[in-house]
Amino acid sequence: MGVAFVLDGRSVTVEPPTPLTSLAQVLRETLLLTGTKLACGEGFCGSCTVHLDGEPVLACLTPIALVDGRAVATVEGLEPDGHWSALQQAMAERDAVQCGMCFPGMLMTLTAFLRDEAEAGRAVTADSVRAALTGNVCRCTGYQAIVEATLDAAFDAAASIPGPEART
Amino acid sequence: MTASPIGDSVRRRDAPDKLRGRTRFAIDRGEPGMLHVALRRAEVAAARLLRVDTAPALALEGVHAVVTEADAPGLYGVGVADHPLFARGVIRHHGEAIAAVAAETAEQARAAAAAIVVELEPLPAHLTMAEALAPGAREIHPDWRSYEELVAGGARAGNVAWEATAERGDVDAAFARSDVVIVEGTYATGRQNQASLEPRVALARYEDGRFTVETSTQYPWAVKAAIARQLGVSPAAVRITVPPVGGGFGQKFESSIEPVAAVLARQTGRPVRLALSREEEMRTALCRENAEIRIRSAVTADGEIAAREATVLLDCGAYGGEQTFLTSLVTHTLMGSYRLGAVRLRSRAVYTNTAPTGAFRACCGTYCTFALERHTDDICAAIGADRHAFRAGAVIGNGDVGPTGQVFEGDVLAPMLARMNELRERRPGPPADGRLYGTGVAVGTWFIFAGPSAATVRLNPDGGATLITAGVEIGSGSLVQALPQIVAERLGIAPGDVTVAAADTDAAGFDMGVGGGRTTVSLGAASRGAADEVRRKLLEHAADLLEAAPEDLLLADGEVRVAGAPASRRTIDEVVAHAHAVSGPLAGDGSFTGPGLRAAPGCAAGHMIEALDLPVFAVHECDVAVDPDTGHVEVLDYRVVQDVGRAINPRAIAEQIQGGVVQGLGYALHEEITFDEHGQVRQGGWESYRLPLASDALPVRIALHEGAPSVGPHGAKGAGEVPILNVAAAVGCAITDAIDRPMTRLPMTPVRVLATILGHEQPPALPHISTGGGR
């Protein structure tokens, strides 16, 4: 059974062991894209978060068969034109990273969150960032620098286009 | 001239790859031809092991080897060598490894492990310390007398794996005084799982008669020693390398799975990878131990603590492990922080038929501080003292004597309490929604595990330097921030021009591991020493070139200048080139260790740490709102004043404090490992083990206290371990203040808080711990 999909902008076809093999396992063990982490394997930590047709999903709970014909984006594809996203930049400037295992999932969750909030014209607040992170566990940082970096990124994005004050 | 990099919040150099998913942790690594390992584990807590038949496993497709206790003859431990790699004749805990299989695929390995035939004869299990200490209780280690003592001095008997005692002054006379009130308390605290996102994982090879193990560890030299000991080979035949570590929090301070991968690599001649599943980590992690505490104090009306005595039981699980060491730290935390007239303490690591416990950030300090500070508030209530004023008057200061007779240097806690008074002024007020409001303040004493460290610095022809140590980057940033900052300052270059080599025990000298808050202190001091030697040689060569005396030279910004003669200068590259022509490349070695302070004569027995070489202090305070209908606790404001000696990288320290406090809130409020009636850990995953989420966290308000005495480089103290020390204490005192009933157990879940409010939960009786703690 071949599964064909678009991965970070490139077409790939894989032959998974079973249709139920998780997308996370295929990414890590078949395609050797280890940026997507697999910390709990049960959908409680968010470290395996990727985008499926633009929406964040837990790769550990996504059977590979469901990916056929669709588009997957991973943390490795976050900077296709060679430039960091505003969110990556803000995380680095805030020195938010510690061990780093949760950040791929955090970035995928928050990238979609910032896009959705901007499209909906909603102001990004510390509370809304914390709510967005409900499915992402970080054991090192206590989350504060991650929340602040996300606010920075939202502020930077909002500052570049006319609009309401993003940071409240 | 640019500013010194000391005190500068230099950014992490490993962040770019960590933010791109490119960093390859041990869990992300492998190599062609590698085999996968599965462990066959015990499914009972206690049994005689009658027969292990591996033949059915070996007959399965893809299986290369199966190993059992016969393949790993040694016993290991910290204080006592009591721990075999695989169960030997007896099962002592649910989840104990019986055998390991190496196969072509992980699925094949798991199937083969399940095919191993294991015959058992069940034994009654002791799942609690009370059961293990009951009169006539079955000995979990009937052969305990024959075990090798790796450290002398611990009293051992039956199910007591290790006992440390401390005694100073006449405790009985103080308790008999007519002018004291006696305040007593009992406390029981839970197990906490480290829950690093990266599990324990190792990749082993056996080549040219040597083992090379790439592993996720905090302490490469300990893994090297443990593999040698358990496999019965020379430590020189073992090489440990360490990629970036995806979280450790103390669990990875001890060797655990690495010898399994090593023995299978030798057996198969193939690279062998062992990665624990999350469920295995939940059920067998070397957790922070559960503990039971009875403490009492004799206090005068004006707040003098005439005497204090306590008994503490630490549940070490099936094997002694780190708890044999941690009994010492009970003395320095539970009997620390305050001036005490007389002291008596008994601290026991107790064997139970549960998974072995281990080290977790500030270890026993967390629950000892909880018990001590709840007890301190009880004292304040008993003598009618204000909680803040009492502490300000009673904390140890310059010249005061610690529990084992050491004399403390410097007034540290008192000015930190004063600083907390300032932080308190900006707190939000109580909620006006009917919830109960309370405040808790907690002081705490912990230590820097100074110990030996080696470092080498090479100055390269490109003007940059290479720092070689056995230190590993576990996320705290010490290896990518403080250490290169320290070296750069000595050599007059930018921190970014200091390359930090990944840990490799074939290249780096001995180091006692990244833990115990020691990295910046011990590796920092060793690195500084190595850089000093390079600096001296560099300046000698520069003096030669510039025809000046070395003492007249200034080294900064990548060049050497003659003081007062700005035109006389050479770049470091030029000086290095000169050295290459004259005497060869420039390198230096540095080494450091703590002095190993001793207790006053007769004050401490069974202590691996008799006195604190380098104490570190913290003051925490928080305000909580408690819902009287549900027992739910919300932390409204959290404030920290931390003794850092000198802040090498203030922002990195603040991030450690923020993270440590939130980890501590999990410990205080909802994280707990418990056991079912079969001795299996109930929390098999993160659905049932409740980790702190972003919505549970709050921004911690932080003040760094600088200037306390320290033997660390530039006066630094370790800052990563202590942030979790006082959290359960501060929250416990705040909840008690809010509900006006005593919190005596951790974690303080809503159910437990509500039961306490309703009077359904009383302090633990602990009938197996006698009053009169010292006897």
Side-chain angles (χ1 to χ4, degrees):
Chain A
M1 175 201 100
V3 176
F5 58 103
V6 175
L7 174 62
D8 292 329
R10 275 190 290 274
S11 296
V12 295
T13 303
V14 294
E15 299 285 338
T18 77
L20 289 176
T21 300
S22 76
L23 172 59
Q25 188 180 336
V26 170
L27 289 173
R28 289 178 57 82
E29 295 177 15
T30 306
L31 299 166
L32 304 181
L33 288 175
T34 56
T36 299
K37 302 304 179 192
L38 194 52
C40 81
E42 295 181 325
F44 295 104
C45 76
S47 69
C48 66
T49 306
V50 298
H51 292 176
L52 185 59
D53 291 340
E55 294 306 316
V57 297
L58 296 167
C60 75
L61 298 183
T62 303
I64 188 65
L66 288 185
V67 174
D68 196 44
R70 301 171 74 178
V72 173
T74 72
V75 68
E76 285 96 339
L78 265 189
E79 41 174 357
D81 55 355
H83 296 291
W84 279 27
S85 70
L87 185 60
Q88 286 170 310
Q89 184 67 33
M91 293 280 187
E93 287 178 3
R94 284 272 176 186
D95 214 35
V97 176
Q98 289 188 30
C99 94
M101 281 284 292
C102 73
F103 275 82
M106 291 272 174
L107 287 162
M108 299 313 287
T109 297
L110 292 169
T111 297
F113 165 74
L114 288 173
R115 177 203 63 202
D116 291 349
E117 298 305 282
E119 284 175 6
R122 281 190 292 266
V124 175
T125 67
D127 281 348
S128 68
V129 176
R130 289 182 191 280
L133 286 177
T134 295
N136 290 82
V137 169
C138 174
R139 191 55 158 165
C140 296
T141 67
Y143 301 99
Q144 187 59 26
I146 295 171
V147 172
E148 288 174 3
T150 308
L151 293 173
D152 289 347
F155 182 78
D156 290 348
S160 64
I161 51 167
E165 174 64 62
R167 190 166 186 180
T168 57
Chain B
M1 181 171 168
T2 50
S4 160
I6 303 302
D8 188 15
S9 291
V10 172
R11 270 194 229 163
R12 299 182 69 108
R13 60 180 67 185
D14 57 349
D17 270 14
K18 285 181 172 176
L19 291 167
R20 290 181 170 106
R22 291 182 187 170
T23 301
R24 289 173 69 82
F25 301 88
I27 194 69
D28 300 324
R29 291 167 183 253
E31 57 183 88
M34 75 179 177
L35 302 176
H36 300 264
V37 181
L39 294 168
R40 174 63 183 266
R41 295 180 179 278
E43 291 171 2
V44 297
R48 268 188 206 93
L49 191 51
L50 302 178
R51 189 169 75 98
V52 178
D53 183 1
T54 61
L58 283 164
L60 292 176
E61 184 183 343
V63 174
H64 283 240
V66 182
V67 290
T68 64
E69 54 96 11
D71 302 288
L75 293 171
Y76 80 113
V78 174
V80 186
D82 61 2
H83 198 168
L85 189 58
F86 298 105
R88 190 170 297 167
V90 57
I91 300 296
R92 296 195 175 91
H93 69 92
H94 202 289
E96 181 160 22
I98 298 170
V101 179
E104 301 276 344
T105 70
E107 291 73 21
Q108 288 170 338
R110 282 195 290 270
I116 295 169
V117 175
V118 175
E119 282 183 24
L120 300 169
E121 178 188 323
L123 291 168
H126 304 315
L127 299 182
T128 66
M129 294 190 283
E131 288 167 14
L133 295 178
R138 183 183 64 84
E139 290 185 349
I140 292 172
H141 290 262
D143 296 334
W144 64 267
R145 290 175 188 81
S146 69
Y147 289 153
E148 181 188 355
E149 293 191 347
L150 304 172
V151 178
R156 303 188 293 122
N159 289 328
V160 176
W162 191 273
E163 178 179 285
T165 51
E167 182 146 14
R168 175 172 63 70
D170 192 338
V171 172
D172 294 327
F175 274 96
R177 275 166 57 169
S178 60
D179 63 336
V180 298
V181 292
I182 295 172
V183 179
E184 178 163 354
T186 56
Y187 303 90
T189 63
R191 270 189 202 204
Q192 186 185 20
N193 187 294
Q194 289 86 352
S196 59
L197 265 65
E198 184 191 37
R200 286 174 285 173
V201 53
L203 176 63
R205 285 173 286 144
Y206 185 69
E207 293 166 349
D208 298 325
R210 299 184 80 225
F211 299 90
T212 296
V213 183
E214 185 178 59
T215 181
S216 182
T217 184
Q218 296 171 236
Y219 189 174
W221 280 84
V223 175
K224 180 179 166 87
I227 289 174
R229 190 173 176 89
Q230 285 176 304
L231 272 54
V233 301
S234 163
V238 183
R239 173 188 178 197
I240 307 299
T241 65
V242 189
V245 173
F249 311 115
Q251 179 178 214
K252 296 172 181 172
F253 204 74
E254 237 185 298
S255 166
S256 55
I257 63 162
E258 293 90 350
V260 176
V263 72
L264 282 165
R266 184 176 61 185
Q267 199 100 337
T268 62
R270 296 270 290 266
V272 169
R273 180 176 188 266
L274 171 52
L276 295 190
S277 68
R278 181 55 54 190
E279 183 179 358
E280 286 177 297
E281 283 289 40
M282 291 310 297
R283 300 210 201 271
T284 68
L286 304 165
C287 290
R288 185 193 311 283
E289 68 280 6
N290 49 300
E292 295 167 343
I293 299 162
R294 182 183 294 278
I295 182 170
R296 63 178 198 145
S297 300
V299 188
T300 66
D302 57 3
E304 175 205 346
I305 307 167
R308 172 163 291 161
E309 66 176 353
T311 296
V312 178
L313 305 183
L314 299 72
D315 188 345
C316 62
Y319 299 100
E322 290 283 342
Q323 277 56 40
T324 57
F325 169 81
L326 292 173
T327 52
S328 302
L329 272 304
V330 168
T331 303
H332 303 295
T333 50
L334 191 63
M335 296 287 156
S337 297
Y338 295 99
R339 274 192 315 279
L340 305 175
V343 174
R344 187 160 59 204
L345 173 83
R346 183 172 61 177
S347 172
R348 297 174 135 189
V350 179
Y351 288 128
T352 61
N353 288 118
T354 64
T357 53
F360 187 159
R361 203 176 196 171
C363 300
C364 59
T366 50
Y367 57 77
C368 287
T369 303
F370 167 72
L372 174 61
E373 289 301 80
R374 280 285 304 102
H375 181 63
T376 300
D377 280 359
D378 287 350
I379 289 171
C380 293
I383 65 171
D386 172 79
R387 293 180 293 159
H388 294 94
F390 175 84
R391 285 177 171 83
V395 291
I396 53 169
N398 191 41
D400 288 334
V401 178
T404 60
Q406 82 176 102
V407 178
F408 282 92
E409 190 188 338
D411 286 316
V412 186
L413 274 172
M416 289 170 69
L417 281 163
R419 187 82 184 272
M420 182 57 81
N421 291 339
E422 295 167 19
L423 283 184
R424 188 180 313 117
E425 287 168 9
R426 291 190 290 118
R427 67 174 163 177
D433 55 10
R435 288 183 295 169
L436 305 170
Y437 177 75
T439 297
V441 61
V443 303
T445 301
W446 191 240
F447 81 129
I448 304 300
F449 189 28
S453 285
T456 300
V457 169
R458 302 188 194 289
L459 192 58
N460 304 318
D462 54 13
T466 305
L467 172 63
I468 302 158
T469 74
V472 298
E473 178 49 52
I474 63 171
S476 70
S478 299
L479 267 287
V480 292
Q481 293 173 311
L483 294 192
Q485 286 177 257
I486 287 167
V487 170
E489 187 274 340
R490 289 284 79 196
L491 299 180
I493 59 181
D497 290 330
V498 179
T499 300
V500 181
D504 178 346
T505 56
D506 273 6
F510 181 82
D511 177 65
M512 201 176 244
V514 168
R518 64 185 301 285
T519 311
T520 301
V521 170
S522 298
L523 277 169
S527 301
R528 188 171 198 250
D532 268 332
E533 186 182 341
V534 174
R535 177 189 175 95
R536 181 178 54 73
K537 292 174 178 173
L538 180 74
L539 290 178
E540 282 170 7
H541 284 288
D544 204 21
L545 273 177
L546 290 163
E547 296 177 347
E551 54 273 23
D552 293 335
L553 299 180
L554 304 171
L555 176 56
D557 302 331
E559 60 180 24
V560 183
R561 288 189 293 269
V562 180
S568 293
R569 57 172 65 192
R570 296 285 178 151
T571 66
I572 290 177
D573 304 23
E574 290 170 329
V575 182
V576 170
H578 176 71
H580 281 204
V582 174
S583 61
L586 298 178
D589 283 318
S591 60
F592 174 84
T593 195
L597 282 183
R598 306 303 302 265
C603 281
H607 280 62
M608 296 188 209
I609 301 286
E610 289 198 357
L612 302 181
D613 282 355
L614 183 49
V616 57
F617 303 99
V619 178
H620 287 207
E621 193 173 282
C622 68
D623 311 310
V624 301
V626 181
D627 185 330
D629 297 324
T630 65
H632 177 264
V633 175
E634 182 186 358
V635 179
L636 303 169
D637 191 48
Y638 203 102
R639 312 177 276 278
V640 171
V641 181
Q642 185 168 316
D643 161 32
V644 298
R646 170 88 187 276
I648 305 279
N649 187 318
R651 181 167 63 179
I653 292 174
E655 294 300 339
Q656 286 300 301
I657 294 172
Q658 172 73 33
V661 167
V662 171
Q663 221 171 47
L665 292 175
Y667 178 61
L669 294 172
H670 46 74
E671 288 183 43
E672 187 175 24
I673 291 291
T674 58
F675 296 90
D676 68 15
E677 66 274 23
H678 305 295
Q680 177 170 239
V681 169
R682 288 182 188 275
Q683 295 74 21
W686 287 354
E687 180 180 21
S688 47
Y689 189 78
R690 173 75 163 75
L691 292 163
L693 301 173
S695 46
D696 300 309
L698 76 168
V700 177
R701 297 201 287 128
I702 296 164
L704 305 183
H705 178 81
E706 294 191 287
S710 170
V711 295
H714 303 277
K717 293 188 180 185
E721 180 157 80
V722 75
I724 200 172
L725 181 73
N726 307 31
V727 182
V731 175
C733 290
I735 297 172
T736 300
D737 184 43
I739 68 176
D740 200 25
R741 285 177 186 271
M743 294 307 300
T744 55
R745 290 179 175 86
L746 296 176
M748 297 171 286
T749 58
V751 169
R752 199 164 263 162
V753 172
L754 187 59
T756 306
I757 291 172
L758 297 173
H760 298 161
E761 181 154 286
Q762 304 299 323
L766 306 183
H768 51 292
I769 306 181
S770 61
T771 27
R775 279 149 296 183

